[in-house]
Every structure is written in structure tokens, then in C-alpha cells.
Amino acid sequence: MTFTVGGLCRRTGQFGTALSTSSIGAGGRCPHAAPGLGLVVTQARTDPRLGPLGLDLLRGGRSAEEAVAAIVASTPHSAWRQLGVLTADGEAAVFTGESCARPADGLVLGDGFVIGNWVKSEAVLAGIAAGFETDPMAELADRLIQGLEGGEAEGGELDPLQSAALVVCDPGYTFPIIDLRIDNSPTPIADLRRTWERWREIMDGYLLRAVDPAAAPDTRSLEGHA
């Protein structure tokens, strides 16, 4: 019971995913990303083991479609699973098992994918795609959240949303530069946007801590306390 958008920004080389769902803490179960490689989202009756498996398949040279097919073949419970895979060069593939809560479907976009189950209608998936594609020159994180907002505007899920997550990888870093989660909130997408806008302001300082800690600002400076 989740809807998700994954996408690549060809201008910056960043790729990432954003999702929201009616259960708590989905950010710890559904998205799996590896910089320079790609991402895998596993949802519906989620099996977090499928994320690392999919990344290993991409690491071994499989295409997005081949990775999805191999993941499906690996589990006897594929009917309950919904998957989205995106490579670092923008190749995407999706899968929706026949037992996923309906309405449920997936779309492959020009540079990404949309998947959703237990959504109000097919218009939700179209709304996510439209939100993501509204401004191709915007930052990828903004585009991904715009996708969630577009899906929510079309009715979102059939149950109230509780959690949301945003993960973005950048070609200049060996770890995700954005990994934000709203685990239990009545307004998770709005909270995710507020959290992203705050992280945007201080992100460069925290990234500098990883590569040049002596030159990085202290925590009080980053958080605006001094």
C-alpha cells in the first residue's frame, strides 16, 4: 500500500526515489540505492531482502528488466510483490504481482518509473508522473517530491498516509547525499517537503564533513544556532 516515483536527472547525473504510504516507517523497508549503480524499490507486501538482491544483480551487469525478472523468479511470493528498478543511466523496469492490493500498476517514464498499489485510481499514477515531469530543470529532489504531491492531489491511497521517504544519489559521492524519512505523521508528504527544504540549506556543510572535516562548519553553524 505505497506509491513511489524513481527518476534520473540527466543534467546532474543524480538519481533517486521518493515514496509515501499508509504504514509507518516505509523508508526503512522499501528503497534501496547504491551510488553509481542504481536503485530498487520493493513494496506492497514488502520483502526488504529483494532490494539488496536487485542491487547485486545490477552490480553483476544485469539490465533493469533482467534484474526485475530475476528478482521475480527468485521468490515464490512474487504475486504479493511490487518492484521498481532504475539504473544509474536511467534504464527503468517495473513489476506488479497479481495479488497486490488493487488498484495497482506501474509506469516506465522517460527517465524513471512510477509504481503504486491500493491507490484511489489510475489517475494517482498519472498524477505522480505529471508532477515529476513538470519541471525537468528543477533539482531532482524537488521533482521527486512534486511527484508525490501530484499523486496525493489525485487522491493518494485508499487509507490515510503515515510515512514518506526521499533518497538521492549524486555521482560525486559514494553515499546518498539525501536520505530523509518521515516515519509517522498525518501529513508525511508535506513534512517531507519541509524536511528537504531544511536539509537543502545545510546539506553542503554536512557533505563537506565527509570529505574535508577540518574545513567543515561546526554543528551550531549548520543548524543556525550560532
Side-chain angles (χ1 to χ4, degrees):
M1 295 180 282
T2 307
F3 56 88
T4 296
V5 54
L8 168 74
C9 175
R10 294 199 178 272
R11 177 174 55 86
T12 64
Q14 293 180 351
F15 64 87
T17 185
L19 61 89
S20 189
T21 186
S22 55
S23 59
I24 70 170
R29 299 189 304 274
C30 298
H32 304 262
L37 183 65
L39 64 88
V40 179
V41 178
T42 169
Q43 61 188 46
R45 297 204 175 177
T46 309
D47 182 353
R49 297 172 296 181
L50 301 183
L53 171 61
L55 294 177
D56 283 345
L57 290 163
L58 295 181
R59 199 169 285 115
R62 302 289 186 94
S63 67
E65 287 190 2
E66 289 169 341
V68 166
I71 295 169
V72 171
S74 76
T75 172
H77 308 296
S78 61
W80 298 98
R81 314 304 188 191
Q82 190 171 45
L83 302 165
V85 173
L86 178 70
T87 66
D89 60 4
E91 182 186 6
V94 296
F95 170 79
T96 298
E98 61 185 16
S99 296
C100 293
R102 270 28 194 186
D105 205 351
L107 304 171
V108 172
L109 310 178
D111 284 312
F113 67 84
V114 173
I115 50 176
N117 63 91
W118 197 239
V119 293
K120 185 175 182 181
S121 71
E122 295 290 335
V124 173
L125 301 182
I128 296 169
F132 175 71
E133 295 173 331
T134 296
D135 184 3
M137 297 305 293
E139 289 188 59
L140 179 62
D142 281 314
R143 297 179 65 198
L144 293 169
I145 295 176
Q146 287 166 2
L148 297 186
E149 292 167 340
E152 187 174 34
E154 292 293 343
E157 277 197 37
L158 293 171
D159 289 333
L161 298 173
Q162 290 198 76
S163 66
L166 172 68
V167 180
V168 174
C169 296
D170 183 278
Y173 295 88
T174 59
F175 54 88
I177 63 168
I178 304 169
D179 190 353
L180 304 175
R181 302 174 186 181
I182 307 300
D183 283 337
N184 188 13
S185 166
T187 56
I189 295 175
D191 289 353
L192 184 64
R193 174 163 290 286
R194 283 191 291 270
T195 302
W196 153 237
E197 289 174 352
R198 178 61 181 134
W199 177 245
R200 189 205 319 250
E201 296 173 354
I202 61 178
M203 177 174 65
D204 287 346
Y206 278 108
L207 294 177
L208 187 58
R209 285 183 164 207
V211 298
D212 191 357
D218 62 28
T219 301
R220 289 190 174 185
S221 249
L222 287 169
E223 299 297 339
H225 298 311

